[in-house]
Amino acid sequence: MIRPRRTPRIQAVGLLFLAGCAGLGTSRSSAFEEVASTSRVGPSHGTLVVAGGGALGPEIWGEFLELAGGTDARIVVIPTAGGDDHYDLSWPGLKGLRDAGATNFRILHTRERMEANSDWFAEVIREADGVWFTGGRQWRLVDAYLATRVHEELFALLDRGGVIGGTSAGASIQGSFLVRGDPLTNQVVMSPDYEEGFGFLSGAAVDQHLLTRKREEDLWEILSLHPDLLGIGIDEGTAIVVRQDRARVIGVSQVLMYDMHDPIRRPSVFRPGDHFDLSHRGPLMAEDREESDLDPSPLLHR
């Protein structure tokens, strides 16, 4: 279902809470501009963890934390997709990371783009080893952060070898085309005023809660109008770990990959432990894998 175009609703309520640790660092050059890369879909540097919502197991939380640098890694949690105005360290949404052993949190949250463009917000991301986006509604992330300094610093985080993860809305926002961005309902697959995601996955659209909510056919609706996009559907309790154009499935269920140019017009199915190539849109054979591509590695420190 496609929602007719309407006037975007930019939220004007600004509220943030910071909880955590170390001092803030000095400024560094932006990585927001395009850079030469052999990667066509995934980031040139750093790693993405893209999760399909629902209950995430310790294998997903543990992988994210290890990629960020371990239990002492500086983690920034962005819960802005949620509907609350106030988030602090007592928030239950931190339980998965806590159970994985994370000890060094910051919570970054605002509804106001002016705050997202501030030096202070940029510095918080600049000092992070990993950033995690929680679930909720995608449009709230767009209204608060798209094309702001926070967005710019997220690309810089990847550029220096960090990790960005997210689940549900925090997964869809990582694609370049935003799925289910409509403010009124998550049943609308495309909303003309909310079609741009953060673009950590170039030329890709990410849907979530795929099998649990019977969304297996929905990405075809987007690809019929945008046939060059790669469609990625992730079920609950499942995630893909992406480094450059290589992805590995972790969790308990399935990931479906949609390609409009496939003459069979049937999504490819990947299960935990499977590897696939986002650029060539097919499975990655064992002989083509390199340990450095997909296994956790420490942050490239400044």
Side-chain angles (χ1 to χ4, degrees), residues 183-282:
L184 300 181
T185 173
N186 63 9
Q187 300 305 305
V188 173
V189 180
M190 290 179 283
S191 180
D193 296 304
Y194 289 90
E195 289 186 343
E196 184 178 356
F198 288 169
F200 307 140
L201 292 165
S202 299
V206 179
D207 204 0
Q208 14 73 21
H209 302 281
L210 192 77
L211 304 178
T212 304
R213 298 186 183 179
K214 304 186 185 305
R215 294 174 171 178
E216 298 96 313
E217 300 299 319
D218 291 0
L219 279 168
W220 292 123
E221 183 178 351
I222 295 175
L223 268 58
S224 67
L225 296 178
H226 304 279
D228 291 332
L229 285 174
L230 172 65
I232 303 172
I234 308 174
D235 195 26
E236 293 185 0
T238 309
I240 56 173
V241 179
V242 179
R243 184 166 295 160
Q244 295 186 343
D245 281 341
R246 298 187 173 192
R248 171 168 50 94
V249 181
I250 58 176
V252 299
S253 189
Q254 298 179 7
V255 174
L256 273 60
M257 185 170 63
Y258 299 76
D259 181 1
M260 200 68 181
H261 300 293
D262 185 342
I264 300 177
R265 200 65 58 81
R266 182 187 304 162
S268 301
V269 179
F270 300 96
R271 295 175 174 82
D274 289 345
H275 295 66
F276 58 99
D277 188 310
L278 296 169
S279 177
H280 294 96
R281 303 186 176 189

Side-chain angles (χ1 to χ4, degrees), residues 8-79:
R9 304 193 316 184
I10 302 295
Q11 300 298 303
V13 179
L15 199 53
L16 75 97
F17 282 81
L18 176 67
C21 56
L24 300 174
T26 57
S27 179
R28 67 182 298 279
S29 60
S30 168
F32 196 49
E33 301 92 5
E34 285 189 30
V35 294
S37 170
T38 57
S39 296
R40 295 173 55 189
V41 180
S44 303
H45 307 284
T47 311
L48 304 175
V49 178
V50 190
L56 304 183
E59 71 280 5
I60 297 176
W61 292 116
E63 180 102 8
F64 172 79
L65 191 60
E66 186 174 358
L67 287 163
T71 57
D72 294 330
R74 298 164 294 186
I75 305 297
V76 173
V77 178
I78 300 180

